[in-house]
Every structure is written in C-alpha cells, then in structure tokens.
Amino acid sequence: MPELPEVEVVRRGLDRWVSGRTVDAVEVRHPRAIRRHTAGAADFADRLKGLRIGTARRRGKYLWLPVTGGGPAAQSAAEGITPVITPSVTHGLAVLAHLGMSGQLLVQPQDAPDEKHLRIRIRFADDLGTELRFVDQRTFGGLSLHDTVPGDADLLPDVIAHIARDPLDPAFDDAAFHDALRRRRTTVKRALLDQSLISGVGNIYADEALWRARLHYERPTVTFTRPRTAELLGHVRDVMNEALAVGGTSFDSLYVNVNGESGYFERSLDAYGREDEPCRRCGTPIRRRPWMNRSSYFCPRCQRPPRPR
Ligand SMILES: [Zn+2]
C-alpha cells in the first residue's frame, strides 16, 4: 500500500499536469476499476465529460480531484491553489482515486502505447497532448465520482467524511488529538492507525515514529501526557516530511506514478524491516512481533513494553 508521502507525490503531480483541464472523454476499459461508482461506467463517463478538474487534494492516503461544471464561483474554486471558500459553492462533485495495492495514475502522451493494465483513460479538451491514465495490475483500486460534503472548504467527497485530518494538514488539531487519545481505551499504535483519529499513518511510519519517540507499540494511550503526545506527533511529522523530501524530487516530470513499494525511503528506516539488525541508538537487535495481521518492529531496550496492569 502506498503511504501518505507517496500519495502526496502523486497529488503534486496531478496538480501540476491535470488541474485546470477540462474533461473531453472518459474510456473505462475494465468494470472492476469503476465498481465503487455504483451508477456504472457509462454514468461515470457521461457525468465527467465537460467538467473542469480543480486543485488536487489529499487527506491521509485519500486523493481526490474536485470537478466543476462552470459558472464564475465554481471556476474560481477550481482554480484555487489554497482551499477557496466561495459562499455560493456549498457542494460539488469530486473524483476519488483509490490506489489500492498497485494503482497508478499516469500522465502520458496521447500517442504512447497503452499499458498492459490500463483500466481508465481520461482525455482532455485542450492541445497539451497528454491524457490521464489509471493503470492497475491487481484492480483493487479505481476511480469514482461523489458529492462533496456541503460547505466543506476542502471539497471533501462525502464517502470519506469520517476520515480525520492527517498530521501534515495545517488544520490538524493537536490538542483535540491528545484529548481523543486520553479518552480512548486503546494502545498507541492502534491509535496511530485509526483513520478516525489521525489519517495517513501506516504501519511503516508508525513503527518509525514510535522508535524515535522510544515508545513501545502497546503503550496505553490513557497514560499519555500532553508533552508526550506533542513529542510523538513531532516524530510522526518528521518521518513523513523526510520521506516527502526524498520522494518529492521525482514528481516534477511527465510521469506521475505511485506503486506499492516505498523503495526510496527504505534505506533511511530505523526500525521497520530491520529484524535482528542493531538498533542505531543502542546496538540491541531490533525485534519483530506479529501485530494485527502485520508486524511491529521495535528495539526491546529503547522501547520497553508497558508493565502488565
Ligand atoms: Zn535501542
């Protein structure tokens, strides 16, 4: 699964190459890629035709493109670089991209050969010579069109209204996150992966941030103090921003790409995937434990398990 930094790289690429363009034609080449659009492929294609793509947006690992049909207020919302609050725009439409395990959004020259796993093609009504392609080998991903949450400045698709803001979002509320941590009877890694509390933190980034914060993944959140929460959030943001800084160099090309591997980040990992390798802080071998059908990597010395209660 792509994690937040990879999705942000795709968002920037879409913003650079697709935002502001008007859809001319949509070709759905595989019904599975459109299955979340319950009205079907023909409806998806008909409704998108003639709409203009707005600023690409992201919350956690969710990525969407607001679309507008014209009119001065709608036009200005579509053109905005930062969230535009236009009183007359109360709700609209957005294309939600589900990248799944292997989904890719590619901006390709129109005459480039079709990819083997090309699922959806979107052509634009301009002479830029490129088109947007959704390519997905395993077809767990897809595109769908949704109403946006009424009055929402981010033009959030209604189906992801329950997804919390991510820690890189300037509007993320640290104090509210701390209060929610204290209220929940949960443990810290479960909380970090709970998309209704904080979005965009996957297994890799959770392990990395916990290692930096010297926190065991099973530590109960009810014990957290404000400074501890603040320190943890700081590490989460550092890990993500470092990944973005490394991955962010590849977006400014014609090839907008995401795939399941975060290879560019692997070499700088401190905990995740490093079983039996020495902790970079104390030299103790990193351990791996099964955790909710996944794994947790941690240093048994730096990250002491909580005492049984
Ligand atoms: Zn250690």
Side-chain angles (χ1 to χ4, degrees), residues 143-161:
L143 302 180
S144 51
L145 190 60
H146 301 278
D147 288 331
T148 61
V149 174
D152 186 88
D154 297 329
L155 305 169
L156 188 69
D158 56 9
V159 290
I160 58 166

Side-chain angles (χ1 to χ4, degrees), residues 9-260:
V9 168
V10 178
R11 189 200 67 76
R12 291 176 184 181
L14 289 174
D15 219 36
R16 168 74 179 81
W17 299 105
V18 174
S19 293
R21 300 175 76 179
T22 298
V23 175
D24 182 46
V26 179
E27 182 191 351
V28 177
R29 296 168 57 91
H30 195 298
R32 250 181 86 75
I34 211 81
R35 69 191 181 284
R36 290 181 186 84
H37 186 81
T38 48
D43 179 84
F44 181 79
D46 290 347
R47 287 172 71 193
L48 261 189
K49 184 177 164 63
L51 298 185
R52 187 183 151 105
I53 309 278
T55 303
R57 294 171 192 271
R58 180 189 56 71
R59 178 171 289 188
K61 303 176 199 176
Y62 292 87
L63 180 68
W64 69 96
L65 294 164
V67 286
T68 50
Q75 288 282 336
S76 73
E79 281 160 9
I81 301 300
T82 53
V84 173
I85 303 165
T86 311
S88 57
V89 179
T90 53
H91 93 97
L93 287 172
V95 177
L96 184 60
H98 309 260
L99 298 171
M101 302 294 286
S102 57
Q104 297 176 299
L105 283 161
L106 309 176
V107 176
Q108 295 280 45
Q110 285 171 332
D111 55 6
D114 288 354
E115 291 73 13
K116 185 179 175 195
H117 302 290
L118 175 63
R119 307 304 186 198
I120 301 170
R121 181 201 320 274
I122 298 180
R123 289 214 164 99
F124 299 102
D126 53 46
D127 54 8
L128 294 178
T130 58
E131 60 187 29
L132 179 64
R133 298 179 182 182
F134 182 76
V135 175
D136 192 1
Q137 183 180 353
R138 299 174 69 183
T139 59
F140 289 126
L143 302 180
S144 51
L145 190 60
H146 301 278
D147 288 331
T148 61
V149 174
D152 186 88
D154 297 329
L155 305 169
L156 188 69
D158 56 9
V159 290
I160 58 166
H162 61 289
I163 301 295
R165 290 185 185 277
D166 65 65
L168 299 187
D169 187 329
F172 184 89
D173 188 337
D174 290 22
F177 176 70
H178 173 74
D179 293 344
L181 276 191
R182 293 292 304 254
R183 275 197 308 272
R184 299 260 176 132
R185 299 260 161 212
T186 190
T187 49
V188 63
K189 188 169 170 182
R190 280 174 190 263
L192 286 177
L193 269 66
D194 183 338
Q195 304 287 299
S196 71
L197 280 180
I198 181 171
S199 66
V201 184
N203 202 37
I204 298 175
Y205 296 101
D207 280 3
E208 291 300 299
L210 290 171
W211 181 84
R212 291 185 185 202
R214 302 178 192 231
L215 287 171
H216 191 274
Y217 57 95
E218 295 283 21
R219 190 162 288 276
T221 58
V222 71
T223 65
F224 273 50
T225 58
R226 267 181 203 287
R228 173 160 278 179
T229 301
E231 191 195 344
L232 176 60
L233 279 175
H235 288 303
V236 168
R237 290 181 173 123
D238 286 350
V239 168
M240 288 182 167
N241 279 320
E242 287 166 25
L244 262 178
V246 178
T249 55
S250 62
F251 79 88
D252 196 19
S253 72
L254 204 58
Y255 189 68
V256 181
N257 181 17
V258 71
N259 56 43

Side-chain angles (χ1 to χ4, degrees), residues 211 278-284 286 299-303:
W211 181 84
C279 170
R280 297 196 216 275
R281 213 159 29 210
C282 74
T284 306
I286 296 287
C299 169
R301 184 166 176 195
C302 297
Q303 298 165 268

